[in-house]
Amino acid sequence: MTLLTDTEKYWNPVLETLPQEKLCQLQLKKFKWILSWAYQNSPFYYNLYRDVGLEPGDIKTLDDVKRVPKVDKAMLRTAQGKEPYPYGDILSMPLQQVTEYRQTSGTTGQPVYHPETWQDWEWSAESWAYILYAHGYRDYDRVFVPFGYSVFIAFWAGHYAAEKVGCEVVPGGVLDTEARILKMKELRATAFMATPTYILGMADTARTKLGIDPAKGLYVSKITAAGEPGASIPSTKKRMEEAWGAKVYDTVGATEIGHWGYECKAQCGLHVNEAFHLVEIEDIDTGESISVPGKSGSMVITTFDRLAHPCIRFDSNDIIEWSPIEKCECGRTFRLLRGGVMGRTDNITKVKGVLLAPGAIEEVVRDMPQLGDEYEVVVTKKGDVDDITLKVELLPERKAEIDAVRETLNRELRAKTNLRYNLEFHDHGSLPRYEVKARRFKDLRAH
Ligand SMILES: [Zn+2]
């Protein structure tokens, strides 16, 4: 019998184990190609480059790439809404070629519209397929996809990628959380993909509402986490893996750029898919390029081979750092990032004059076994002074430990964030639950 899918295609040693030097040559070639494509076919990019006197032929080395102007989300938003409606003059293909409408989640404002041609959609699913293969998905897996299939891109490409790898895919679209868990149990699903918030939320619902321990009563052996940094925060990853009795692998991406980074089975950081993307790291203060481990900076990323809506030197605001690991035990030569995406530059706020990254609070809360998975941070202003409150849920069986918990929280939060918090203890299950991206950090100060 001829097989219709080719699982092993997604372990591609020709690309994934290419020596770095060869990989750089490939990246330069692909960068030059997409730059010429955008220059010739998108009025937006043509004007952007013409204004600084840049022509695609000026780029001769990877070092020259820095001369190409960056684009950011605000520029993409400004460009959209014009003709051809609604994508504007970034569109580099005739509108008739567009077969899918997608958009960003809108977490940080007005969503960015994203057009996909059939060819680009193939590319999106293809880039995810390498990720799922690296997470151990094979043709014998039954993959449950528990998200609301809608305009937000979320796990759409993950769904198609799982099919490409040869898995059997179960779309868990309009079901509620309890129905999803029961369906996963009934069908003996072996893998699923969700945000860290929802991975923990589903486990909680299984235990408290259905009396099912996911680690024992379900069949899941691997989970792909995306959409939030949780799977690269050690305490959150540990919680998820223990709750499900399964391996949890991180992956990162964005609507505008596709899925560009993933953990492999070695779980030692995120590999950048360097056959599909060029990732640069810039110093947040000086804009200088960072090419060695030891210093974090802001990511600038280029997507190759996606033609309708090119994304060239996109300033993503993600904070990342090169890993000191040079050779991963999985065999891939794609460079590794240490600790995944550490946060976003626009998520870091000043409270009482101190820079605060909300991820640091998550690390502390999720490291305490007496607390539930949910928490909320509220910043307000009393007169001229900032006030910060952390709301947590104390597990019912650990209520006697409240004083010790308070003391540890105060100490650890002070050490990790340099701030003092008002602590509020709530009943387990009383703080808001989220299905996709959580909004746990609430800044109520007037700006
Ligand atoms: Zn690896």
Side-chain angles (χ1 to χ4, degrees), residues 378-395:
V378 185
V379 186
T380 54
K381 214 170 178 93
K382 283 187 180 159
D384 280 340
V385 185
D386 291 337
D387 199 54
I388 185 162
T389 300
L390 171 63
K391 302 177 184 179
V392 291
E393 293 181 349
L394 196 58
L395 296 178

Side-chain angles (χ1 to χ4, degrees), residues 264 271 328 330:
C264 64
H271 282 288
C328 185
C330 74

Side-chain angles (χ1 to χ4, degrees), residues 232-380:
S232 283
I233 296 174
S235 56
T236 300
K237 189 187 203 80
K238 188 164 170 264
R239 269 187 184 236
M240 292 190 286
E241 292 197 329
E242 283 177 2
W244 284 90
K247 284 285 177 192
V248 174
Y249 300 103
D250 197 9
T251 171
V252 283
T255 313
E256 305 89 337
I257 47 190
H259 256 66
W260 55 268
Y262 54 94
E263 262 187 306
C264 64
K265 288 188 129 183
Q267 293 185 307
C268 57
L270 291 178
H271 282 288
V272 173
N273 185 341
E274 294 189 294
F276 285 43
H277 302 275
L278 176 69
V279 164
E280 305 166 67
I281 308 181
E282 282 190 349
D283 187 292
I284 292 164
D285 297 320
T286 65
E288 290 287 311
S289 172
I290 299 172
S291 55
V292 289
K295 192 170 194 306
S296 60
S298 183
M299 177 170 81
V300 177
I301 185 164
T302 299
T303 299
F304 307 135
D305 310 317
R306 198 153 67 152
L307 307 187
H309 200 260
C311 208
I312 300 175
R313 298 207 79 222
F314 180 68
D315 204 341
S316 76
N317 288 326
D318 289 314
I319 300 169
I320 54 172
E321 183 180 324
W322 293 118
S323 165
I325 300 170
E326 282 181 15
K327 225 178 162 136
C328 185
E329 61 186 64
C330 74
R332 288 178 183 81
T333 49
F334 291 169
R335 280 182 296 178
L336 283 162
L337 299 175
R338 195 177 78 89
V341 171
M342 299 164 167
R344 295 173 51 84
T345 51
D346 52 5
N347 256 350
I348 294 180
T349 43
K350 268 195 173 173
V351 178
K352 299 180 187 175
V354 176
L355 279 178
L356 173 71
I361 301 174
E362 174 166 332
E363 207 176 329
V364 172
V365 172
R366 296 266 171 83
D367 205 24
M368 299 197 56
Q370 301 92 337
L371 299 177
D373 299 324
E374 280 304 332
Y375 64 95
E376 194 171 283
V377 183
V378 185
V379 186
T380 54

